[in-house]
Amino acid sequence: MRRAEVRMRSEVVGHLTQDEQGYTFAYTPAYRLRAGAEPVSLTLPLWEHPWLALIDALIKVSRLGWPQIQLSINPTLK
């Protein structure tokens, strides 16, 4: 399993995780409950449950040369 921090404006807003079943994205509770929190994308609203299939589809789309998902990843996380 691999895990990366997702940041907006230098703040950790969630984690992108890859395992044998694919990719998931989940907002951190601290960010999701913060006043003024914004989603990382209009297609990923602030939700307490991990997003699964949508992340897989977006990553596949970005590999096809369509608009890229821009994530700030901390490479020290495993």
Side-chain angles (χ1 to χ4, degrees):
M1 180 170 78
R2 297 185 324 172
R3 188 172 180 209
E5 289 182 343
V6 177
R7 296 174 174 260
M8 277 189 0
R9 298 180 207 93
S10 301
E11 179 180 4
V12 176
V13 299
H15 294 94
L16 181 66
T17 305
Q18 179 190 26
D19 61 21
E20 56 279 343
Q21 296 170 353
Y23 293 90
T24 57
F25 171 76
Y27 289 98
T28 63
Y31 179 76
R32 186 176 44 80
L33 298 172
R34 182 177 66 93
E38 299 175 358
V40 295
S41 166
L42 293 177
T43 59
L44 295 171
L46 295 169
W47 194 37
E48 64 182 294
H49 302 288
W51 293 95
L52 176 60
L54 183 60
I55 290 296
D56 278 338
L58 288 172
I59 288 172
K60 288 174 186 167
V61 164
S62 71
R63 288 184 184 148
L64 295 173
W66 292 359
Q68 299 292 310
I69 300 170
Q70 295 191 6
L71 301 174
S72 173
I73 297 173
N74 181 344
T76 61
L77 294 177
K78 295 184 184 203

